Amino acid sequence: MATLGDVAARAGVSISAVSRVLSDAPDSRVSAATRERIVEAARELNYRPNFAGRALKSARTQVVGLVVPDITNALFTELMHGAEDEATERGYTVLLGRSDDVRPGGEVIARLIGEGRVDGMALQVGDAVQPAGLRDLLTTQAPIVLVNSSNPGHVGSVTLDDHQGALIATRHLLELGHQRIAFANGLPRSFTAKRRRTGYKLALAAAGVRVPKAYETRIGYTVDNGRTALHRLMALDPRPTGIVVANVNAAVGLLGEARKAGIRVPDDLSVVTVHDSWTAENTWPPLTAVKMQFYTVGRTAVRSVIRRIETGETSDEVITDPPPELVVRESTAPPR
Amino acid sequence: MATLGDVAARAGVSISAVSRVLSDAPDSRVSAATRERIVEAARELNYRPNFAGRALKSARTQVVGLVVPDITNALFTELMHGAEDEATERGYTVLLGRSDDVRPGGEVIARLIGEGRVDGMALQVGDAVQPAGLRDLLTTQAPIVLVNSSNPGHVGSVTLDDHQGALIATRHLLELGHQRIAFANGLPRSFTAKRRRTGYKLALAAAGVRVPKAYETRIGYTVDNGRTALHRLMALDPRPTGIVVANVNAAVGLLGEARKAGIRVPDDLSVVTVHDSWTAENTWPPLTAVKMQFYTVGRTAVRSVIRRIETGETSDEVITDPPPELVVRESTAPPR
DNA sequence: CTGAAAGCGCTAACAG
DNA sequence: CTGTTAGCGCTTTCAG
């Protein structure tokens, strides 16, 4: 790989002149002719600035970490795209990491920041992460922004309007005429589950509808969790006529299980989910869903991290624009 | 962040002594007492080696790039896990990148390698990449290993046994008694599509079954491509009684579209797909699939890249162990 | 057994 | 306008 020195030698100038020209300092103080020679030499040698050299000198990597619990998840894909787009526009690169439930990201983050691999991080912790696990992160001075989590301390945060999402989903069933509306929610300690829960409850309360306590399950967001929720809810008496599922993956599992149990959707049971993804379009019947703006979350999170890196400012943001949007497909209908 | 100098000062020794101890050189030539003091000081200061400093000095990052066309894709998830597991075991980190069809990874790769961000790369190009786009990569001396692609030059490669996968899928339908077996394949220029095609053809030939030419579509691997394939195949006369789909995402789309068209699976039509993923379990009916070993591909690819980095050896490998495995679910049955 | 010193590629302050 | 130089944190050779 060509270095600044190689380019300088070829152009017959000093290293610093090359550096000034190629790192396009606004004030490179170089004559047009010299600049020309330098640029030409760099092109010929296919020069690329060495990452380590630059990072070592400047103590900046221009990299932000994005750590999510599960890269698999179709939802995070949108988020990652948003993060990448924002980063690229601002001259940053995104480094993708995984935080599983065991190590709540603490180890990964400490490494990435501690070793100087990234300048800052956007972090979404898994559902099952205990608040205690998060506490360590907050003591850090590092530029960390929490995504779709609570904000228990002095780090910034970006969250979806989960409350509104669940409310819209629930209202959809109410408007179809359902009264016995159940809620297949995430784990009790999940931050997003708490917020979705209030949306569900508020919608019911606003309509003057009361449901048994057992109508809410709090099992989790996975496909299998959805399967379990279906069984638990359908064992109740009276059976619900509609279910709001707090997560699209769980909804896919719930729908499959309903099918297996001979429960017809939407004839016997309406299902609406919070979140949308390509998988929701391809179930049978296609799932009615409330589309949440994950792309915007990604963009906003990275913007927030970069602001934190560059200016030190911290902020807590809720994505309300564009708002959650109901996408009606075929899994919901009026109750019989 | 604490540096070697900080640790040295605290331990009252020289920087080089600290370096020797903490980078656990096998022969650190340091007394037990000194070593103890150094380790203790490092712990107290929460020392972490600076990535840039180390990389600059050693011209090694201990990072391998993994570039895939679409991080979304459930299949690549397995591959990424395999890659990560292998990398971690060998003291490397994985940097994830995306190669879309427009820039066949060329730009991304040139940057990552040229700037010294990674020591080597495992690269899967998209379906739609023209061979010409690949040629540039082959001139490179960089440690690149192609994944699930052909090997048109002197870079290494790791591929699945696509031939065998398609053959097993086709044979499954034959054994159920189908004769009119169609094949919803990827684009003609896709390397994997070519290999799957030979498996399909061989299985038919071995059984002495002949089908019309139009029974093979070569539209692509996406969900929408699968939908299109369904329509095209069902417009034929005589209709096929079974379809082998070359990709699980396309199979999901094809299945959904069959449903919409009132074609009952498996009563009117059997569907079997190459690949397996969680989405295949959650369609209705659940998809019979040939499970391909993406996890092993990931592991092997990273192992191959690292070998290339460390020893310069190049190899071309086909994953045959474990072999592709038929997972029978409910989308296949004997023809009526 | 331990330390001094050079140098990886780059930027930036300073000198000419 | 252009060049010299110090130093970012680390590894490694060479001296002690």
Side-chain angles (χ1 to χ4, degrees), chain A residues 1 48-49 51-52 56 63 71-72 77 80-81 84 93 95 98 110-111 114-115 117 223 227 252 259 282 284, chain B residues 1 48-49 51-52 56 63 71-72 77 80-81 84 93 95 98 110-111 114-115 117 223 227 252 259 278 282 284:
Chain A
M1 287 292 99
R48 292 178 192 268
F51 174 66
L56 182 56
V63 175
I71 295 183
T72 308
T77 298
M80 293 185 304
H81 281 156
E84 263 188 6
T93 303
L95 176 65
R98 221 182 357 149
R111 255 198 72 181
E115 297 183 354
R117 284 171 190 264
V223 174
R227 295 184 178 276
V252 168
R259 189 88 206 192
N282 290 287
W284 190 265
Chain B
M1 287 292 99
R48 292 179 190 267
F51 173 68
L56 182 57
V63 175
I71 294 183
T72 309
T77 298
M80 293 184 307
H81 281 155
E84 263 189 7
T93 304
L95 176 65
R98 224 184 349 153
R111 254 198 75 181
E115 296 182 356
R117 283 171 190 264
V223 174
R227 295 183 176 278
V252 169
R259 190 87 206 191
W278 70 269
N282 290 286
W284 190 266

Short mmCIF file of all heavy atoms in Angstrom, two decimals, chain A residues 1 48-49 51-52 56 63 71-72 77 80-81 84 93 95 98 110-111 114-115 117 223 227 252 259 282 284, chain B residues 1 48-49 51-52 56 63 71-72 77 80-81 84 93 95 98 110-111 114-115 117 223 227 252 259 278 282 284:
data_model
loop_
_atom_site.label_atom_id
_atom_site.label_comp_id
_atom_site.label_asym_id
_atom_site.label_seq_id
_atom_site.Cartn_x
_atom_site.Cartn_y
_atom_site.Cartn_z
N MET A 1 0.83 -1.21 0.00
CA MET A 1 0.00 0.00 0.00
C MET A 1 0.86 1.27 0.00
O MET A 1 1.83 1.37 0.76
CB MET A 1 -0.90 0.03 1.24
CG MET A 1 -2.04 -0.97 1.16
SD MET A 1 -3.26 -0.55 -0.09
CE MET A 1 -2.78 -1.61 -1.45
N ARG A 48 -4.38 5.37 -0.57
CA ARG A 48 -5.49 5.45 0.38
C ARG A 48 -4.92 5.71 1.76
O ARG A 48 -3.97 5.03 2.15
CB ARG A 48 -6.28 4.15 0.42
CG ARG A 48 -7.03 3.91 -0.85
CD ARG A 48 -7.74 2.59 -0.79
NE ARG A 48 -8.23 2.24 -2.11
CZ ARG A 48 -9.45 2.56 -2.55
NH1 ARG A 48 -10.28 3.21 -1.77
NH2 ARG A 48 -9.82 2.22 -3.76
N PRO A 49 -5.50 6.64 2.46
CA PRO A 49 -4.98 6.97 3.78
C PRO A 49 -5.07 5.76 4.69
O PRO A 49 -6.10 5.09 4.75
CB PRO A 49 -5.89 8.09 4.27
CG PRO A 49 -7.12 7.99 3.45
CD PRO A 49 -6.70 7.41 2.12
N PHE A 51 -5.80 3.76 7.78
CA PHE A 51 -6.75 3.95 8.86
C PHE A 51 -6.07 4.07 10.23
O PHE A 51 -6.36 4.98 11.02
CB PHE A 51 -7.72 2.78 8.85
CG PHE A 51 -8.67 2.76 9.99
CD1 PHE A 51 -9.64 3.74 10.13
CD2 PHE A 51 -8.59 1.75 10.94
CE1 PHE A 51 -10.51 3.71 11.20
CE2 PHE A 51 -9.48 1.72 12.00
CZ PHE A 51 -10.43 2.69 12.13
N ALA A 52 -5.15 3.17 10.47
CA ALA A 52 -4.52 3.14 11.78
C ALA A 52 -3.68 4.40 12.01
O ALA A 52 -3.71 4.99 13.10
CB ALA A 52 -3.65 1.89 11.92
N LEU A 56 -4.58 6.87 14.96
CA LEU A 56 -3.63 7.02 16.06
C LEU A 56 -3.32 8.50 16.29
O LEU A 56 -3.29 8.98 17.42
CB LEU A 56 -2.34 6.26 15.71
CG LEU A 56 -1.27 6.30 16.79
CD1 LEU A 56 -1.82 5.77 18.10
CD2 LEU A 56 -0.07 5.46 16.35
N VAL A 63 -15.76 6.07 13.18
CA VAL A 63 -16.59 4.87 13.15
C VAL A 63 -17.56 4.93 14.32
O VAL A 63 -17.16 5.30 15.43
CB VAL A 63 -15.72 3.59 13.28
CG1 VAL A 63 -16.59 2.35 13.37
CG2 VAL A 63 -14.74 3.47 12.12
N ILE A 71 -29.09 -9.57 14.90
CA ILE A 71 -28.96 -9.05 13.55
C ILE A 71 -29.94 -9.70 12.60
O ILE A 71 -30.35 -9.14 11.61
CB ILE A 71 -27.51 -9.26 13.05
CG1 ILE A 71 -26.55 -8.45 13.91
CG2 ILE A 71 -27.35 -8.86 11.61
CD1 ILE A 71 -25.12 -8.55 13.46
N THR A 72 -30.35 -10.91 12.96
CA THR A 72 -31.31 -11.68 12.17
C THR A 72 -32.61 -10.96 11.94
O THR A 72 -33.25 -11.09 10.90
CB THR A 72 -31.75 -12.93 12.97
OG1 THR A 72 -30.60 -13.60 13.41
CG2 THR A 72 -32.61 -13.81 12.13
N THR A 77 -33.00 -4.66 10.49
CA THR A 77 -32.45 -4.38 9.17
C THR A 77 -32.75 -2.95 8.75
O THR A 77 -31.89 -2.22 8.29
CB THR A 77 -33.09 -5.32 8.16
OG1 THR A 77 -32.74 -6.62 8.54
CG2 THR A 77 -32.56 -5.04 6.79
N MET A 80 -30.70 -0.65 10.69
CA MET A 80 -29.32 -0.61 10.24
C MET A 80 -29.17 0.23 8.98
O MET A 80 -28.21 0.97 8.83
CB MET A 80 -28.81 -2.04 9.99
CG MET A 80 -28.71 -2.84 11.28
SD MET A 80 -27.99 -4.48 11.06
CE MET A 80 -29.03 -5.19 9.82
N HIS A 81 -30.14 0.09 8.10
CA HIS A 81 -30.08 0.91 6.89
C HIS A 81 -30.12 2.39 7.22
O HIS A 81 -29.36 3.18 6.68
CB HIS A 81 -31.22 0.54 5.94
CG HIS A 81 -30.95 -0.71 5.17
ND1 HIS A 81 -31.94 -1.49 4.66
CD2 HIS A 81 -29.80 -1.31 4.85
CE1 HIS A 81 -31.40 -2.54 4.04
NE2 HIS A 81 -30.11 -2.45 4.16
N GLU A 84 -26.81 3.40 8.62
CA GLU A 84 -25.77 3.49 7.60
C GLU A 84 -25.92 4.73 6.73
O GLU A 84 -24.94 5.40 6.41
CB GLU A 84 -25.81 2.26 6.69
CG GLU A 84 -24.81 1.23 7.14
CD GLU A 84 -24.69 0.10 6.15
OE1 GLU A 84 -25.30 0.16 5.06
OE2 GLU A 84 -23.99 -0.87 6.48
N THR A 93 -18.43 5.58 9.39
CA THR A 93 -18.68 4.19 9.02
C THR A 93 -19.39 3.52 10.19
O THR A 93 -19.17 3.90 11.33
CB THR A 93 -17.35 3.47 8.76
OG1 THR A 93 -16.64 4.17 7.75
CG2 THR A 93 -17.56 2.05 8.31
N LEU A 95 -19.99 0.18 12.43
CA LEU A 95 -19.49 -1.14 12.82
C LEU A 95 -20.59 -1.87 13.54
O LEU A 95 -21.09 -1.40 14.56
CB LEU A 95 -18.27 -0.98 13.73
CG LEU A 95 -17.68 -2.27 14.30
CD1 LEU A 95 -17.11 -3.13 13.20
CD2 LEU A 95 -16.59 -1.94 15.31
N ARG A 98 -23.19 -7.41 17.99
CA ARG A 98 -24.33 -8.14 18.49
C ARG A 98 -24.30 -8.11 20.00
O ARG A 98 -23.26 -8.30 20.61
CB ARG A 98 -24.23 -9.61 18.04
CG ARG A 98 -25.52 -10.19 17.60
CD ARG A 98 -25.35 -11.65 17.22
NE ARG A 98 -23.99 -12.13 17.29
CZ ARG A 98 -23.67 -13.39 17.57
NH1 ARG A 98 -24.60 -14.26 17.83
NH2 ARG A 98 -22.42 -13.77 17.59
N ALA A 110 -17.46 -2.09 26.08
CA ALA A 110 -16.23 -1.71 26.75
C ALA A 110 -15.04 -1.95 25.83
O ALA A 110 -14.12 -1.14 25.75
CB ALA A 110 -16.08 -2.52 28.04
N ARG A 111 -15.08 -3.05 25.12
CA ARG A 111 -13.99 -3.36 24.21
C ARG A 111 -13.92 -2.35 23.08
O ARG A 111 -12.86 -1.79 22.79
CB ARG A 111 -14.17 -4.75 23.60
CG ARG A 111 -13.26 -5.79 24.18
CD ARG A 111 -13.16 -7.01 23.28
NE ARG A 111 -12.39 -6.75 22.07
CZ ARG A 111 -12.18 -7.65 21.12
NH1 ARG A 111 -12.71 -8.85 21.23
NH2 ARG A 111 -11.46 -7.35 20.07
N GLY A 114 -13.11 1.04 24.57
CA GLY A 114 -11.86 1.01 25.30
C GLY A 114 -10.65 0.83 24.39
O GLY A 114 -9.60 1.42 24.63
N GLU A 115 -10.79 0.05 23.37
CA GLU A 115 -9.67 -0.17 22.45
C GLU A 115 -9.60 0.90 21.37
O GLU A 115 -8.74 0.85 20.50
CB GLU A 115 -9.79 -1.55 21.80
CG GLU A 115 -9.71 -2.68 22.80
CD GLU A 115 -9.77 -4.05 22.14
OE1 GLU A 115 -9.97 -4.11 20.92
OE2 GLU A 115 -9.62 -5.05 22.86
N ARG A 117 -11.79 1.44 18.98
CA ARG A 117 -12.22 0.98 17.66
C ARG A 117 -13.34 1.84 17.12
O ARG A 117 -13.57 1.89 15.92
CB ARG A 117 -12.69 -0.48 17.72
CG ARG A 117 -11.54 -1.47 17.80
CD ARG A 117 -12.06 -2.87 18.08
NE ARG A 117 -10.99 -3.77 18.39
CZ ARG A 117 -10.40 -4.59 17.50
NH1 ARG A 117 -10.81 -4.59 16.25
NH2 ARG A 117 -9.43 -5.37 17.86
N VAL A 223 -40.76 -15.92 18.04
CA VAL A 223 -41.75 -16.74 17.34
C VAL A 223 -42.36 -17.76 18.30
O VAL A 223 -43.58 -17.91 18.37
CB VAL A 223 -41.09 -17.46 16.15
CG1 VAL A 223 -42.08 -18.42 15.50
CG2 VAL A 223 -40.59 -16.45 15.12
N ARG A 227 -46.25 -18.52 19.86
CA ARG A 227 -46.98 -19.80 19.85
C ARG A 227 -47.56 -20.09 21.25
O ARG A 227 -48.72 -20.46 21.39
CB ARG A 227 -46.03 -20.94 19.46
CG ARG A 227 -45.51 -20.82 18.03
CD ARG A 227 -44.65 -22.05 17.67
NE ARG A 227 -44.19 -21.97 16.30
CZ ARG A 227 -44.92 -22.37 15.25
NH1 ARG A 227 -46.13 -22.87 15.43
NH2 ARG A 227 -44.44 -22.25 14.02
N VAL A 252 -46.11 -13.81 14.02
CA VAL A 252 -45.96 -14.87 13.02
C VAL A 252 -46.12 -16.25 13.68
O VAL A 252 -46.83 -17.12 13.16
CB VAL A 252 -44.58 -14.76 12.32
CG1 VAL A 252 -44.28 -16.00 11.50
CG2 VAL A 252 -44.53 -13.52 11.45
N ARG A 259 -53.35 -21.57 13.23
CA ARG A 259 -53.63 -22.40 12.07
C ARG A 259 -53.63 -23.88 12.45
O ARG A 259 -54.52 -24.64 12.10
CB ARG A 259 -52.53 -22.13 11.04
CG ARG A 259 -52.79 -22.74 9.73
CD ARG A 259 -53.58 -21.75 8.93
NE ARG A 259 -54.36 -22.46 7.94
CZ ARG A 259 -54.98 -21.86 6.96
NH1 ARG A 259 -54.91 -20.54 6.85
NH2 ARG A 259 -55.67 -22.55 6.11
N ASN A 282 -46.16 -12.04 4.22
CA ASN A 282 -46.09 -13.36 3.62
C ASN A 282 -46.61 -14.48 4.51
O ASN A 282 -46.40 -15.65 4.23
CB ASN A 282 -44.67 -13.65 3.15
CG ASN A 282 -44.32 -12.79 1.94
OD1 ASN A 282 -44.81 -13.03 0.85
ND2 ASN A 282 -43.52 -11.77 2.17
N TRP A 284 -50.03 -16.37 6.17
CA TRP A 284 -51.40 -16.52 5.70
C TRP A 284 -52.33 -16.58 6.87
O TRP A 284 -52.17 -17.42 7.71
CB TRP A 284 -51.60 -17.76 4.82
CG TRP A 284 -52.96 -17.66 4.23
CD1 TRP A 284 -54.10 -18.22 4.70
CD2 TRP A 284 -53.31 -16.88 3.10
NE1 TRP A 284 -55.16 -17.84 3.94
CE2 TRP A 284 -54.71 -17.02 2.95
CE3 TRP A 284 -52.61 -16.08 2.21
CZ2 TRP A 284 -55.41 -16.37 1.92
CZ3 TRP A 284 -53.32 -15.45 1.21
CH2 TRP A 284 -54.70 -15.60 1.06
N MET B 1 -8.21 7.09 28.44
CA MET B 1 -7.80 5.68 28.33
C MET B 1 -6.35 5.53 28.74
O MET B 1 -5.48 6.30 28.32
CB MET B 1 -7.97 5.20 26.88
CG MET B 1 -9.42 5.00 26.50
SD MET B 1 -10.20 3.60 27.37
CE MET B 1 -11.09 4.44 28.68
N ARG B 48 -6.55 -1.12 28.30
CA ARG B 48 -6.87 -1.88 27.09
C ARG B 48 -5.95 -1.41 25.99
O ARG B 48 -5.78 -0.21 25.80
CB ARG B 48 -8.31 -1.63 26.65
CG ARG B 48 -9.30 -2.19 27.60
CD ARG B 48 -10.70 -1.90 27.15
NE ARG B 48 -11.63 -2.24 28.22
CZ ARG B 48 -12.23 -3.42 28.31
NH1 ARG B 48 -12.01 -4.35 27.41
NH2 ARG B 48 -13.06 -3.65 29.30
N PRO B 49 -5.39 -2.35 25.26
CA PRO B 49 -4.46 -1.97 24.20
C PRO B 49 -5.16 -1.14 23.14
O PRO B 49 -6.25 -1.49 22.72
CB PRO B 49 -4.02 -3.32 23.62
CG PRO B 49 -5.07 -4.29 24.02
CD PRO B 49 -5.61 -3.78 25.33
N PHE B 51 -6.21 0.04 19.74
CA PHE B 51 -6.31 -0.67 18.47
C PHE B 51 -5.42 -0.05 17.39
O PHE B 51 -4.68 -0.74 16.69
CB PHE B 51 -7.77 -0.65 18.03
CG PHE B 51 -8.00 -1.18 16.67
CD1 PHE B 51 -7.81 -2.53 16.40
CD2 PHE B 51 -8.42 -0.35 15.65
CE1 PHE B 51 -8.04 -3.03 15.14
CE2 PHE B 51 -8.65 -0.84 14.39
CZ PHE B 51 -8.46 -2.19 14.13
N ALA B 52 -5.48 1.25 17.28
CA ALA B 52 -4.74 1.93 16.22
C ALA B 52 -3.24 1.79 16.42
O ALA B 52 -2.49 1.54 15.48
CB ALA B 52 -5.14 3.40 16.16
N LEU B 56 -1.04 -0.07 13.72
CA LEU B 56 -0.05 0.71 12.99
C LEU B 56 1.31 0.04 13.06
O LEU B 56 2.02 -0.09 12.06
CB LEU B 56 0.02 2.11 13.57
CG LEU B 56 0.99 3.06 12.87
CD1 LEU B 56 0.64 3.17 11.40
CD2 LEU B 56 0.93 4.44 13.52
N VAL B 63 -8.72 -8.23 12.04
CA VAL B 63 -10.12 -8.09 11.67
C VAL B 63 -10.31 -8.70 10.28
O VAL B 63 -9.48 -8.48 9.41
CB VAL B 63 -10.54 -6.60 11.62
CG1 VAL B 63 -11.97 -6.45 11.13
CG2 VAL B 63 -10.38 -5.94 12.98
N ILE B 71 -27.92 -8.20 4.44
CA ILE B 71 -27.83 -8.61 5.83
C ILE B 71 -29.18 -9.09 6.35
O ILE B 71 -29.27 -9.89 7.26
CB ILE B 71 -27.31 -7.44 6.68
CG1 ILE B 71 -25.88 -7.11 6.28
CG2 ILE B 71 -27.34 -7.77 8.15
CD1 ILE B 71 -25.26 -6.03 7.10
N THR B 72 -30.23 -8.59 5.71
CA THR B 72 -31.59 -8.95 6.08
C THR B 72 -31.86 -10.43 6.04
O THR B 72 -32.62 -10.98 6.81
CB THR B 72 -32.57 -8.38 5.03
OG1 THR B 72 -32.30 -7.03 4.87
CG2 THR B 72 -33.99 -8.60 5.45
N THR B 77 -27.70 -14.90 8.18
CA THR B 77 -27.54 -14.84 9.62
C THR B 77 -26.75 -16.03 10.12
O THR B 77 -25.82 -15.90 10.91
CB THR B 77 -28.92 -14.88 10.27
OG1 THR B 77 -29.61 -13.74 9.83
CG2 THR B 77 -28.78 -14.87 11.76
N MET B 80 -23.23 -15.65 9.18
CA MET B 80 -22.53 -14.67 10.02
C MET B 80 -22.17 -15.28 11.37
O MET B 80 -21.09 -15.03 11.90
CB MET B 80 -23.39 -13.44 10.21
CG MET B 80 -23.59 -12.65 8.91
SD MET B 80 -24.52 -11.11 9.12
CE MET B 80 -25.98 -11.65 9.94
N HIS B 81 -23.09 -16.06 11.91
CA HIS B 81 -22.78 -16.68 13.20
C HIS B 81 -21.59 -17.61 13.07
O HIS B 81 -20.69 -17.62 13.93
CB HIS B 81 -23.99 -17.46 13.72
CG HIS B 81 -25.00 -16.57 14.35
ND1 HIS B 81 -26.33 -16.88 14.43
CD2 HIS B 81 -24.88 -15.34 14.91
CE1 HIS B 81 -26.98 -15.91 15.03
NE2 HIS B 81 -26.13 -14.96 15.33
N GLU B 84 -18.48 -15.55 12.83
CA GLU B 84 -18.10 -14.96 14.11
C GLU B 84 -17.50 -15.97 15.06
O GLU B 84 -16.52 -15.69 15.74
CB GLU B 84 -19.32 -14.32 14.77
CG GLU B 84 -19.40 -12.85 14.50
CD GLU B 84 -20.48 -12.18 15.32
OE1 GLU B 84 -21.09 -12.82 16.20
OE2 GLU B 84 -20.71 -10.99 15.06
N THR B 93 -11.75 -10.45 14.80
CA THR B 93 -13.05 -9.82 14.90
C THR B 93 -13.64 -9.76 13.49
O THR B 93 -12.89 -9.67 12.52
CB THR B 93 -12.90 -8.38 15.44
OG1 THR B 93 -12.23 -8.44 16.68
CG2 THR B 93 -14.24 -7.71 15.63
N LEU B 95 -15.89 -7.78 10.74
CA LEU B 95 -16.48 -6.50 10.34
C LEU B 95 -17.47 -6.78 9.23
O LEU B 95 -17.11 -7.32 8.19
CB LEU B 95 -15.39 -5.55 9.84
CG LEU B 95 -15.84 -4.21 9.30
CD1 LEU B 95 -16.49 -3.38 10.39
CD2 LEU B 95 -14.67 -3.45 8.71
N ARG B 98 -21.93 -4.63 3.50
CA ARG B 98 -23.01 -4.98 2.60
C ARG B 98 -22.52 -4.78 1.17
O ARG B 98 -21.89 -3.78 0.86
CB ARG B 98 -24.19 -4.04 2.85
CG ARG B 98 -25.50 -4.72 2.91
CD ARG B 98 -26.62 -3.71 3.06
NE ARG B 98 -26.16 -2.37 3.36
CZ ARG B 98 -26.84 -1.28 3.03
NH1 ARG B 98 -27.97 -1.37 2.39
NH2 ARG B 98 -26.39 -0.10 3.35
N ALA B 110 -12.18 -2.55 -1.78
CA ALA B 110 -10.98 -1.76 -2.01
C ALA B 110 -10.74 -0.84 -0.82
O ALA B 110 -9.62 -0.66 -0.36
CB ALA B 110 -11.14 -0.95 -3.29
N ARG B 111 -11.80 -0.27 -0.31
CA ARG B 111 -11.65 0.63 0.82
C ARG B 111 -11.17 -0.09 2.06
O ARG B 111 -10.21 0.30 2.71
CB ARG B 111 -12.99 1.31 1.15
CG ARG B 111 -13.05 2.75 0.73
CD ARG B 111 -14.19 3.47 1.44
NE ARG B 111 -13.89 3.75 2.83
CZ ARG B 111 -14.73 4.36 3.66
NH1 ARG B 111 -15.91 4.73 3.25
NH2 ARG B 111 -14.40 4.58 4.91
N GLY B 114 -7.72 -1.45 1.33
CA GLY B 114 -6.79 -0.39 1.00
C GLY B 114 -6.48 0.52 2.18
O GLY B 114 -5.35 0.97 2.34
N GLU B 115 -7.44 0.76 3.00
CA GLU B 115 -7.22 1.63 4.15
C GLU B 115 -6.67 0.85 5.35
O GLU B 115 -6.46 1.41 6.41
CB GLU B 115 -8.51 2.34 4.56
CG GLU B 115 -9.03 3.28 3.47
CD GLU B 115 -10.29 4.01 3.89
OE1 GLU B 115 -10.81 3.74 4.99
OE2 GLU B 115 -10.76 4.86 3.11
N ARG B 117 -8.25 -1.46 7.06
CA ARG B 117 -9.23 -1.67 8.13
C ARG B 117 -9.39 -3.15 8.43
O ARG B 117 -9.83 -3.53 9.50
CB ARG B 117 -10.59 -1.09 7.73
CG ARG B 117 -10.65 0.42 7.86
CD ARG B 117 -11.92 0.97 7.25
NE ARG B 117 -11.89 2.41 7.16
CZ ARG B 117 -12.41 3.22 8.06
NH1 ARG B 117 -13.04 2.75 9.11
NH2 ARG B 117 -12.33 4.52 7.91
N VAL B 223 -38.59 -12.75 -2.71
CA VAL B 223 -39.98 -13.09 -2.44
C VAL B 223 -40.85 -12.78 -3.66
O VAL B 223 -41.66 -13.62 -4.10
CB VAL B 223 -40.49 -12.30 -1.22
CG1 VAL B 223 -41.98 -12.55 -1.02
CG2 VAL B 223 -39.72 -12.71 0.04
N ARG B 227 -43.25 -15.09 -6.35
CA ARG B 227 -44.65 -14.85 -6.72
C ARG B 227 -44.81 -14.91 -8.24
O ARG B 227 -45.75 -15.54 -8.77
CB ARG B 227 -45.09 -13.46 -6.24
CG ARG B 227 -45.10 -13.33 -4.71
CD ARG B 227 -45.62 -11.95 -4.29
NE ARG B 227 -45.71 -11.84 -2.84
CZ ARG B 227 -46.74 -12.31 -2.13
NH1 ARG B 227 -47.77 -12.89 -2.74
NH2 ARG B 227 -46.75 -12.20 -0.82
N VAL B 252 -41.22 -18.74 -0.12
CA VAL B 252 -42.22 -18.09 0.73
C VAL B 252 -43.18 -17.26 -0.13
O VAL B 252 -44.39 -17.32 0.04
CB VAL B 252 -41.53 -17.20 1.80
CG1 VAL B 252 -42.55 -16.32 2.49
CG2 VAL B 252 -40.79 -18.06 2.81
N ARG B 259 -51.56 -19.51 -2.47
CA ARG B 259 -52.69 -19.37 -1.57
C ARG B 259 -53.71 -18.38 -2.13
O ARG B 259 -54.92 -18.63 -2.16
CB ARG B 259 -52.14 -18.81 -0.24
CG ARG B 259 -53.12 -18.82 0.86
CD ARG B 259 -53.04 -20.16 1.52
NE ARG B 259 -54.28 -20.48 2.14
CZ ARG B 259 -54.44 -21.48 2.98
NH1 ARG B 259 -53.42 -22.28 3.24
NH2 ARG B 259 -55.60 -21.72 3.51
N TRP B 278 -35.96 -20.01 9.59
CA TRP B 278 -37.12 -19.97 10.48
C TRP B 278 -38.38 -19.55 9.75
O TRP B 278 -39.48 -19.92 10.13
CB TRP B 278 -36.87 -19.06 11.67
CG TRP B 278 -36.82 -17.58 11.36
CD1 TRP B 278 -35.73 -16.85 11.03
CD2 TRP B 278 -37.91 -16.68 11.35
NE1 TRP B 278 -36.07 -15.55 10.81
CE2 TRP B 278 -37.39 -15.40 11.00
CE3 TRP B 278 -39.28 -16.79 11.61
CZ2 TRP B 278 -38.21 -14.26 10.90
CZ3 TRP B 278 -40.09 -15.66 11.50
CH2 TRP B 278 -39.55 -14.41 11.16
N ASN B 282 -42.63 -21.23 9.43
CA ASN B 282 -43.79 -20.43 9.82
C ASN B 282 -44.70 -20.01 8.69
O ASN B 282 -45.54 -19.15 8.84
CB ASN B 282 -43.32 -19.22 10.63
CG ASN B 282 -42.80 -19.64 11.99
OD1 ASN B 282 -43.57 -19.99 12.87
ND2 ASN B 282 -41.48 -19.65 12.13
N TRP B 284 -47.67 -21.21 5.89
CA TRP B 284 -48.71 -22.23 5.93
C TRP B 284 -48.94 -22.76 4.55
O TRP B 284 -49.25 -22.00 3.67
CB TRP B 284 -50.02 -21.75 6.54
CG TRP B 284 -50.88 -22.93 6.74
CD1 TRP B 284 -51.83 -23.40 5.90
CD2 TRP B 284 -50.79 -23.85 7.82
NE1 TRP B 284 -52.35 -24.56 6.38
CE2 TRP B 284 -51.73 -24.86 7.55
CE3 TRP B 284 -50.01 -23.95 8.96
CZ2 TRP B 284 -51.91 -25.96 8.41
CZ3 TRP B 284 -50.20 -25.02 9.81
CH2 TRP B 284 -51.15 -26.01 9.53
#
